[in-house]
Each structure stands twice: as structure tokens, then as C-alpha cells.
Amino acid sequence: SSLKRMTFAKDSMGVEEAREVFPVVLPSLENLCVKDTRLSNKGLRPLSASIKEGKASSLLSLKLENVDLNHIGLNTLSTAISERPLKIETLSLCENVCLGNAGVRLLHPVL
């Protein structure tokens, strides 16, 4: 059987780890939690690239809480999802500066 869920410990995921991990683990994952990590906008790029490449088609839950995400990173994620729609049932972005009306407007068309 393949890996279905992955949760990263606090401060365990940064840009370098994201480049190595996301392309490998995303194809089988249904649930990904990178809450309270150092992912940031730059770390979101490998996740977004993997989404664009169709490597996240099984993903149902994505928790990007408190990862230092702003409108730039949110736009990157939204663009990836618009190019390769996901079956996401749960998307959590709380405790990031990207929230608010502008963030909702970016995501609304792709969800």
C-alpha cells in the first residue's frame, strides 16, 4: 500500500526540503499537513509545480497553516490549481497573512 497521509513536525519543512519531498510523496497522498513549518512562498513553489505536473491528483486535504504564506504564494498556488484542478475537500490557510477578502478572491475561482 502507498503513503496516504503526511504531517510535518513544527519547523521541519523549509524550501530545500520542499524541493526534495513534494515531487516524491505527493502522487500517493490524500492528506498533507505542513502546519507551523518554514515553508514560505518559496517553499510553496515546488508544491505548486507538483500540482501543475498532475502529481497531486489524489490530494483531498491540504493544511498550509502558519507557513508564512502571503498573496504572492497564494497566487502561485491558485494558478497551479487553476491549471490542474484538484479534488480538495479541505484547504486550511489560517494564520497566514494572505487571508482576508483579497485571498478569498484569489482562491474562489479555482475551488
Side-chain angles (χ1 to χ4, degrees):
S1 87
S2 57
L3 184 65
K4 299 288 182 193
R5 295 176 183 265
M6 183 168 267
T7 300
F8 288 88
K10 183 177 181 174
D11 296 327
S12 66
M13 171 72 77
V15 177
E16 292 302 317
E17 295 86 1
R19 287 186 193 128
E20 298 294 323
V21 172
F22 289 143
V24 176
V25 300
L26 271 177
S28 65
L29 289 184
E30 292 178 357
N31 299 287
L32 175 63
C33 177
V34 291
K35 178 181 177 178
D36 297 324
T37 62
R38 298 169 278 113
L39 193 62
S40 77
N41 294 323
K42 289 182 181 180
L44 198 62
R45 289 180 196 150
L47 175 62
S48 298
S50 292
I51 291 170
K52 284 183 184 182
E53 294 166 8
K55 293 181 179 176
S57 61
S58 299
L59 202 58
L60 300 174
S61 175
L62 179 58
K63 294 183 180 180
L64 298 168
E65 302 168 10
N66 190 29
V67 295
D68 198 25
L69 181 65
N70 65 27
H71 288 92
I72 295 167
L74 187 59
N75 188 51
T76 301
L77 180 64
S78 297
T79 300
I81 295 172
S82 71
E83 291 180 19
R84 187 70 70 130
L86 300 175
K87 297 180 276 186
I88 291 282
E89 295 173 0
T90 304
L91 175 62
S92 182
L93 300 166
C94 63
E95 299 179 47
N96 287 295
V97 294
C98 65
L99 296 180
N101 291 337
V104 172
R105 282 193 294 272
L106 274 173
L107 282 173
H108 181 264
V110 299
L111 298 177

